[in-house]
Amino acid sequence: MLADHNMMADNDDDGGTDAGVKVETRPKTKRPPLYKVLILNDDYTPMEFVVHVLERFFGLSHAQAFDLMLTVHKKGLAVVGVFSFEIAETKVAQVMDFAQRHQHPLQCTMEKE
């Protein structure tokens, strides 16, 4: 029984404050750069198609999509969203593929914000 008592005493924590707790400070991480996704105007893609693209791929309401389509039409281009690189790249690819499959020359690009 005495041996059990000694083992218990060895495992006892003395409650001291220097129990080897190390506080690590994490280096400040920079936010990843964001990318603007732009829709470019052309003379062939129907306005309704652009509205549909904006609703489908960018989650805009019909009214928001219509207003943005008019901006593209009047100014030649418009920023339709700002995303991380991977998401922006995916959105551009989706829009370009969708336009191509529907035989429209609609262009969608991205640029660093």
Side-chain angles (χ1 to χ4, degrees):
M1 198 79 171
L2 188 59
D4 287 343
H5 176 71
N6 286 344
M7 284 182 63
M8 286 176 70
D10 288 344
N11 290 336
D12 246 3
D13 190 3
D14 64 355
T17 55
D18 71 332
V21 174
K22 185 177 173 188
V23 177
E24 289 188 33
T25 56
R26 291 175 14 164
K28 296 247 189 228
T29 53
K30 283 201 313 189
R31 287 185 169 221
L34 295 176
Y35 290 80
K36 298 185 282 192
V37 175
L38 303 110
I39 297 277
L40 308 179
N41 189 43
D42 65 72
D43 294 332
Y44 304 101
T45 304
M47 292 178 173
E48 300 81 33
F49 184 79
V50 176
V51 170
H52 180 68
V53 163
L54 294 171
E55 290 170 343
R56 179 172 179 163
F57 297 106
F58 298 94
L60 300 179
S61 70
H62 186 75
Q64 291 170 321
F66 189 82
D67 288 346
L68 204 49
M69 175 277 298
L70 284 179
T71 301
V72 172
H73 182 69
K74 291 175 185 171
K75 296 189 175 181
L77 62 86
V79 174
V80 295
V82 179
F83 308 96
S84 67
F85 179 81
E86 292 80 9
I87 293 173
E89 187 177 51
T90 300
K91 298 262 185 208
V92 168
Q94 288 173 327
V95 170
M96 295 296 290
D97 181 58
F98 190 71
Q100 213 169 32
R101 282 188 285 132
H102 288 85
Q103 299 176 343
H104 294 301
L106 182 65
Q107 295 293 300
C108 184
T109 63
M110 61 188 266
E111 65 182 42
K112 202 169 188 177
E113 190 176 46

